[in-house]
Amino acid sequence: MTPLPRSDRFWRLLALVVTLVVAGACFAVPGGEDDPPAPDDPGTPVATGTAEAGADGTMTVEEFEQDIKSAVRIAELYWAGEFREAGQRFQRVSRISAYKRDGEIECGGQPLPRNNAVYCSDGDFIAYDINWAVAAFQQIGDAFLYYLLGHEYAHGVQIRLGIRYEFTIQQELQADCMAGAYIGDSERDQVLAVQDGDLEELAAGLMAVADDPGQPWFAEGAHGTVEQRTDAFFAGYRDSIEACDLG
């Protein structure tokens, strides 16, 4: 990721339907106690997208790899600051792993499927199908990675705070709120630049990732309706982490 100026294609990621889940429903104690390194230039905001990139698939794998690193770095910086303000020591998610085939990586003995991204508490890692993620990146734009990493990293933070809910949908909507806070606060801190029209595109994207009509709210794996996911994300984006009921 390069410093501003860059294109205004920040939220076109969310036109792709993605499944964001906590794999295996495992709740293990995470490891790793080191605070994350600060960005090379924490005072320089970064923006998603490039002037040449877009739906024609001109983004490169090299750009993808750099944006993954930037998304993780900003998430670590954000959550380290939040934990510090609360008087707690932050522990980074132990690793970010890419895979290419069904079952190449397991979470709690369960193979991870293709076309997915997960946070696994058994091992404290985030894993994603790299072929799927690169294709989405090239078709939609690199902002896809910021929402993806923000949501999954939020699940890791939930584990660190000991947050458990009876129903999947509660965990997922809170992670949406936390992802919104991470992006909104990073924008307010001038670490991340959000361009004109991005929020309207985000609203359309949240519609795409919502549960199908008729999905029972209490079903295992439920993430929420359009209204629920939109309300959760924008509450965090607008009102910061206080909106997310972290206790």
Side-chain angles (χ1 to χ4, degrees), residues 30-198:
E33 298 182 353
D34 295 331
D35 285 335
D40 295 336
D41 183 5
T44 302
V46 294
T48 58
T50 67
E52 298 82 12
D56 59 356
T58 57
M59 287 183 174
T60 66
V61 173
E62 289 74 19
E63 289 174 320
F64 170 88
E65 293 173 347
Q66 183 57 49
D67 282 322
I68 283 283
K69 293 178 182 177
S70 294
V72 173
R73 182 188 67 182
I74 294 172
E76 290 177 343
L77 179 68
Y78 176 73
W79 288 113
E82 291 297 314
F83 273 64
R84 190 178 303 114
E85 288 185 11
Q88 301 181 45
R89 186 171 179 80
F90 175 70
Q91 296 176 316
R92 287 179 287 177
V93 168
S94 64
R95 70 182 189 275
I96 313 296
S97 299
Y99 62 94
K100 296 181 179 179
R101 298 178 299 277
D102 286 331
E104 183 178 345
I105 292 179
E106 293 187 352
C107 174
Q110 298 183 17
L112 300 183
R114 289 181 298 169
N115 304 325
N116 206 357
V118 304
Y119 167 76
C120 178
S121 56
D122 184 4
D124 185 42
F125 64 89
I126 293 170
Y128 61 91
D129 177 345
I130 191 169
N131 292 327
W132 163 75
V134 168
F137 169 81
Q138 291 177 328
Q139 180 181 358
I140 300 168
D142 60 352
F144 172 79
L145 305 179
Y146 287 81
Y147 181 83
L148 179 72
L149 267 296
H151 181 100
E152 299 306 337
Y153 217 103
H155 286 314
V157 173
Q158 289 170 328
I159 294 297
R160 284 150 175 73
L161 296 177
I163 296 173
R164 304 187 188 190
Y165 287 106
E166 181 179 1
F167 298 104
T168 304
I169 192 172
Q170 296 170 295
Q171 206 89 8
E172 298 299 334
L173 292 177
Q174 185 181 62
D176 277 342
C177 180
M178 295 163 72
Y182 145 72
I183 292 171
D185 286 345
S186 295
E187 178 192 10
R188 284 182 282 273
D189 292 340
Q190 298 184 336
V191 175
L192 194 63
V194 176
Q195 309 295 332
D196 292 342
D198 289 340

